[in-house]
Amino acid sequence: MDKLVCHTAAQVMPMPYLVPLSHNARLSKVFLPGCAAGNTENNTSLQKLEAYRNELELNRQLLAETCSIARVGGWYCNLITKQLTWTPGAYAIYEKPETYEPLCETLPQLFHPDCREQLRNSIEMALREHAGWELEGKLLFENGRCKWVKIKGEPVTGPGNTLIAYKGFVMDINDTMLEKIENNRYREALEVRDQLLNEVGAMAHIGGWKVDLQTRRLYWTREVFRIHELADCALPSLDEAFAYYTPKSQMLLRDAVKRAQDYLIPYDLELELITATGKKIWIRSIGKTILDENGKAKALFGTIQNIQDHKIREAQLQEQHNIIKEQKERLENFAHIVSHNLRSHAASFSVSLEVLPLVTEAEKEEIFHNMERISQNLHETLYHLNEVIKIKNDCRNALQTLYFSDVYEQALHVLELQIKKTGARISCDFSECYRVQHIPAYLESIMLNLISNALKYRHPDRVPEIMVRACKSGDKTVLAISDNGLGIDLQKNGHKIFGMYKTFHSHPDAKGIGLFITKSQIETVGGTIEVESKVNEGSCFIITML
Amino acid sequence: MNTKVLTFLVDDDAAYLYGTRKLLEYHKLCDTVLTFGNGRQVADFMKEHLYDKERTPDYILLDLEMPVMDGWQFLEEFLQMKPLLGKEVKVYIVSSSIDDRDKDKAKSISVITDYLVKPLNSAGLREIFKPAEQ
């Protein structure tokens, strides 16, 4: 150090103009006499020396303070004398009293066993290669406490480029190191958690989101991007995010978000989302409000889950449920026919037979006549039973393209006699829609039954007028058969019009099975039937087909 | 027997009505039998002769499944008429339905004396009219 300071001063001397102005006064004493020769030389040298010493002391103090603040110490290891010298800063770091004598050999002992090997290796390698070395290691104190330090050594070469010493510093990096370790641990935990969140999210198709109500900024987890089929770089704006939903879902969501924001009501909705690639999927969106310290809504957060698979399964389940329900209904109807109608005929037979021996000849004649009628009815019931059984659940593969005009003509042909008898005027209009996918036997039966009903329940005071029309409603086909007949009181009988054995007119031909079978045939192919009617004005049966 | 016993048979099956009427007449289980084809017919008749005891039945044997107005619908109208009738009317359901739902429903209606399953033979009919005979 001394050498360095002297050297610097010597260099500065011929260039006084480089010295800061504030020092001029003091330095002028030093330099000006230097320009003049004479007996004052000794005196000025002493003064000079004094000044240097002061300066040196000042610097030393400054250095010691700086070292203490920076928690740095210096060291010097003479390779020839094997003498290791520490500055006070180093003593402070190693926490050794000033009486302690540092030794190169025992230095590794001051370190934690985990670091000793590394320290020795670094030093040995540096010695071999005449290179510098650097190490971060843990000091171990007697009470088991550890302290992280960084040591750096630089080779010092003597004449002839021989390695004579190493010098360097030791630095207390315990705080930063511990912080770093803590940070690393924290980051690792965070990374694990983030990864876990993403993977779990991907597995369950659940993503998280948050929206800051003040800035209206939106945050998404990776899975939310995946659900939207978006690259997870550009976060959309709130309005852009809303735009991914179908109009109806968007309305629901906006409403729910508003309520969450204004009234802090959480929501849980199933919505339809259109992804970036145009796929329509079902998602479940859950949202909750985060409050600020004043209890006001600060942000919203929640989850978005892709429930498309779930929805598909639900739909399949529903379909299966419907099939089972239909089958159950058919079974019940079957049981009903067996239980009620077959039994009813059997009961009549039985009563007739019982009374037979008790009555007069003329009455016997009547009873035989009755039994004949029962027998006929029995046949008819058996036929209906057969019709009900024939309606199968899954006969959609039996669908064919049918032309309404063909089916219509055929029905008229079958009903020729009744049409002539009643003088009915029947017309059709298939110009808007002339064909449909249906099962031939069913559509024929539906057409025949409805026209036949219109004829059967004609109004006695007027000529029957029947109109058969087909049209398109969206992607569905609608067949409407209207008449000017008796009409049905829907208020009273609407709920059972398509039920089995329900008749609303005391008409001799009324059997109450036709509309039931017609309805079954329509529903089997996924259609629906409705009726509009006014008593004494007429009825209109509307069939909607897939 | 001071008053004549009047029985209404309500059923849409003509053969059944005929046979049952003959049985009732033969066994002399009641004095007069009137037959009706559905609930509407019998309800209309009863409304018309609401205060006429002579034409108010002692027994109604009622079928359930009938066109125009079924047995259940008739019972609704009957319940409204009941307080105005001059005498006690015993209502029996005589149906071929063995469906428990029908039976349970019948049990829940207080005015129904019993639910009987067709066919009713002579013995069955006698059971119904037993108290009247005594």
Side-chain angles (χ1 to χ4, degrees), chain A residues 392-542:
Chain A
K392 291 198 190 75
N393 277 101
D394 202 21
C395 49
R396 290 188 195 177
N397 44 10
L399 291 178
Q400 288 180 20
T401 301
L402 301 172
Y403 293 90
F404 282 123
S405 53
D406 291 352
V407 181
Y408 170 75
E409 289 300 335
Q410 201 183 334
L412 291 200
H413 182 71
V414 174
L415 297 168
E416 210 177 342
L417 207 70
Q418 284 104 304
I419 294 168
K420 252 189 205 152
K421 219 165 71 186
T422 56
R425 281 198 291 267
I426 308 183
S427 54
C428 67
D429 179 4
F430 303 126
S431 56
E432 198 180 321
C433 177
Y434 60 96
R435 59 180 185 185
V436 72
Q437 290 281 318
H438 218 280
I439 296 164
Y442 285 6
L443 192 63
E444 283 159 18
S445 164
I446 292 162
M447 185 85 84
L448 182 68
N449 207 342
L450 290 176
I451 297 175
S452 153
N453 268 356
L455 288 170
K456 204 186 283 178
Y457 304 113
R458 65 187 175 272
H459 200 282
D461 303 341
R462 50 182 180 248
V463 172
E465 278 177 31
I466 302 166
M467 177 72 193
V468 183
R469 187 188 289 121
C471 61
K472 277 272 170 199
S473 167
D475 55 348
K476 297 198 167 144
T477 304
V478 178
L479 179 70
I481 297 170
S482 53
D483 65 50
N484 61 347
L486 290 167
I488 302 154
D489 188 345
L490 292 176
Q491 207 85 53
K492 237 158 103 186
N493 300 314
H495 62 290
K496 45 185 199 179
I497 189 162
F498 298 108
M500 199 166 13
Y501 294 104
K502 301 291 183 201
T503 49
F504 310 106
H505 313 283
S506 39
H507 189 281
D509 289 343
K511 294 287 186 293
I513 188 89
L515 280 180
F516 168 74
I517 291 176
T518 297
K519 183 171 185 267
S520 300
Q521 286 170 338
I522 289 163
E523 286 176 352
T524 303
V525 193
T528 57
I529 181 163
E530 285 170 73
V531 63
E532 291 169 2
S533 185
K534 254 190 182 159
V535 176
N536 286 328
E537 281 183 26
S539 309
C540 182
F541 286 88
I542 301 150

Side-chain angles (χ1 to χ4, degrees), chain A residues 326-338 342 380-395 442 500-501 513 516-518 520-521 524:
Chain A
E326 276 169 30
Q327 273 171 345
K328 185 177 160 271
E329 258 170 45
R330 209 155 303 140
L331 203 64
E332 273 174 9
N333 289 328
F334 181 81
H336 183 95
I337 298 177
V338 172
L342 287 183
E380 213 165 288
T381 303
L382 287 172
Y383 169 77
H384 291 154
L385 207 54
N386 194 38
E387 286 287 296
V388 172
I389 293 166
K390 268 203 313 204
I391 298 165
K392 291 198 190 75
N393 277 101
D394 202 21
C395 49
Y442 285 6
M500 199 166 13
Y501 294 104
I513 188 89
F516 168 74
I517 291 176
T518 297
S520 300
Q521 286 170 338
T524 303

Side-chain angles (χ1 to χ4, degrees), chain A residues 130-173:
Chain A
H130 294 198
W133 60 276
E134 194 179 324
L135 180 86
E136 283 177 0
K138 262 190 292 183
L139 292 177
L140 181 66
F141 299 105
E142 274 157 19
N143 57 7
R145 193 164 53 84
C146 290
K147 183 196 265 181
W148 279 94
V149 292
K150 180 176 180 172
I151 311 181
K152 201 167 172 173
E154 288 293 332
V156 180
T157 48
N161 215 18
T162 54
L163 187 63
I164 56 163
Y166 265 94
K167 63 172 182 185
F169 68 83
V170 55
M171 193 189 223
D172 179 347
I173 55 164

